[in-house]
Amino acid sequence: MTDSAALLDRRFTVAPMMDWTDRHCRAFHRVLTRRAVLYTEMAVDQALIHGDVPRLIGFDASEHPVAIQLGGSDPELLARASRIAESYGYLEINLNVGCPSDRVQSGKFGACLMREPELVRDCLIAMREAVSVPVTVKHRLGVDDQDPEKTLFGFVETVRESGVETFIVHARKAWLKGLSPKENRDVPPLDYELVRRLKAEQPDLEILLNGGLESLEHGLAERHGTDGIMLGRAAYHTPWTLAEVDTRLYGAASDPCATPFEAVEAYRHYVEAQLERGVKLHAITRHMLGLFAGRPGARKWRQALSERANRPGAGWQVLEDALDAVRPAAAE
């Protein structure tokens, strides 16, 4: 079995994001960084137990190191789902205690579990007993009228009784009443200092900082006093950000790709293999739209992919033509 602990250096991680961090997104991100730990979209425990597992959580070995996030609140079901995930080769199982969406709340999992730390503890115990890979938890500072000053420290104190040692803390409380998931990304205010205090009080735990980190620079500026950072939307919308991670976070001698053009070429083998399996080009390229964000030719790149990747029979040539559209602007 792969030594998970040796591969899971969580100094930098890419967040689990519903409808975004699917297998094609992760394969693309892996072209840009060899070292960052990548997380899947949340997979619901009962869906894995009763559904099409290869379709739901199948992945390419090139994505490693990759972790899976599970959603649920029944220890037995989560244990069964964890065993399935481990059998597929995931190096870490993460429990979602942070998502504020109505759909997640109706299933009694996600951020609403911040109110039930004993249940979270019991879920994690069951998960850890079911698998040999690390089990971790991603959570909020609190929810609704909870006082983060009390809730966060009490939650972690209880949950750590499970033996879990890695806590990924979204440094914002979630409002489950009256706010949409989108609004929950902006209010209430972030509190990175509270997460740093948690690490100071629990130095033997691995504490990762997540939430509202707008860029790699922002993450680097705020990571002091914690063990690592997790970027979400910034990594997705400006993926070239990831091309600096290996040198700046892990001390690698060089980055995997020197330019976005090299990154696209490095992704070619994966793209062509997926097209041969019948995957539509748009399902792959939708994750690449932000590759040139902030660089000359960004609009031409997005336009070329958006207009042509959805057409019947679209193939690798669409990407070649999109790069040709960018090159004049990039050369200026």
Side-chain angles (χ1 to χ4, degrees):
M1 179 176 292
T2 303
D3 184 353
S4 301
L7 292 175
L8 291 168
D9 185 332
R10 302 185 188 88
R11 275 176 275 183
F12 186 93
T13 58
V14 177
M17 292 176 282
M18 290 300 293
D19 300 321
W20 287 3
T21 50
D22 64 17
R23 61 188 303 171
H24 307 308
C25 174
R26 298 190 305 268
F28 177 51
H29 286 177
R30 185 56 70 213
V31 166
L32 301 168
T33 169
R34 300 283 186 263
R35 302 290 299 277
V37 179
L38 307 180
Y39 285 74
T40 70
E41 307 169 89
M42 180 186 69
V44 178
D45 52 7
Q46 294 192 59
L48 290 194
I49 293 167
H50 302 294
D52 182 347
V53 178
R55 181 183 63 82
L56 290 170
I57 66 168
F59 70 100
D60 191 279
S62 65
E63 296 172 35
H64 275 312
V66 62
I68 187 171
Q69 184 181 72
L70 296 182
S73 59
D74 182 297
E76 181 182 351
L77 295 179
L78 283 167
R80 291 172 63 186
S82 295
R83 282 192 288 268
I84 293 170
E86 182 182 39
S87 73
Y88 267 71
Y90 285 98
L91 302 182
E92 172 192 321
I93 318 288
N94 177 264
L95 179 62
N96 182 335
V97 188
C99 182
S101 77
D102 292 339
R103 181 164 64 90
V104 168
Q105 290 180 59
S106 66
K108 198 188 173 184
F109 49 89
C112 64
L113 288 174
M114 290 297 299
R115 299 193 188 102
E116 301 185 67
E118 292 82 7
L119 176 57
V120 174
R121 176 197 61 203
D122 294 345
C123 288
L124 292 167
I125 288 172
M127 294 165 70
R128 292 189 71 238
E129 290 177 347
V131 299
S132 60
V133 297
V135 174
T136 66
V137 59
K138 185 175 186 294
H139 59 93
R140 294 277 187 146
L141 302 182
V143 295
D144 295 335
D145 295 323
Q146 289 182 329
D147 179 358
E149 292 275 345
K150 298 177 181 178
T151 300
L152 176 64
F153 295 93
F155 177 86
V156 172
E157 192 63 44
T158 297
V159 171
R160 69 168 298 167
E161 294 172 4
S162 66
V164 163
E165 299 177 340
T166 299
F167 291 74
I168 305 169
V169 188
H170 186 131
R172 195 194 302 274
K173 192 166 70 168
W175 282 102
L176 304 181
K177 303 173 183 176
L179 289 183
S180 68
K182 181 179 180 181
E183 290 168 326
N184 263 290
R185 291 196 292 268
D186 299 314
V187 293
L190 291 153
D191 193 344
Y192 297 138
E193 191 55 42
L194 191 61
V195 181
R196 287 189 275 267
R197 282 173 46 200
L198 174 66
K199 174 61 182 179
E201 292 194 16
Q202 303 278 3
D204 56 324
L205 296 179
E206 182 179 38
I207 305 296
L208 307 185
L209 182 66
N210 169 241
L213 298 173
E214 298 175 351
S215 64
L216 179 58
E217 294 298 336
H218 187 198
L220 292 174
E222 296 289 354
R223 70 171 177 154
H224 61 92
T226 67
D227 296 297
I229 54 176
M230 172 178 275
L231 259 63
R233 299 173 71 80
Y236 187 86
H237 289 306
T238 56
W240 187 246
T241 294
L242 301 178
E244 298 181 49
V245 164
D246 291 7
T247 53
R248 300 190 66 180
L249 272 295
Y250 295 96
S254 61
D255 293 309
C257 300
T259 69
F261 295 93
E262 283 188 16
V264 175
E265 187 57 41
Y267 196 37
R268 179 171 184 166
H269 176 75
Y270 177 87
V271 173
E272 292 185 331
Q274 293 301 312
L275 292 174
E276 288 180 7
R277 294 188 178 102
V279 175
K280 301 299 184 184
L281 183 65
H282 172 70
I284 301 170
T285 59
R286 71 187 185 96
H287 304 300
M288 306 173 69
L289 295 177
L291 180 60
F292 287 87
R295 303 170 72 94
R299 185 181 63 81
K300 290 182 180 295
W301 170 256
R302 291 194 307 271
Q303 185 177 33
L305 294 186
S306 298
E307 291 179 354
R308 296 184 54 195
N310 244 335
R311 295 178 183 176
W316 177 256
Q317 191 59 46
V318 172
L319 284 158
E320 291 280 10
D321 293 344
L323 288 177
D324 287 342
V326 173
R327 283 192 175 92
E332 291 179 0

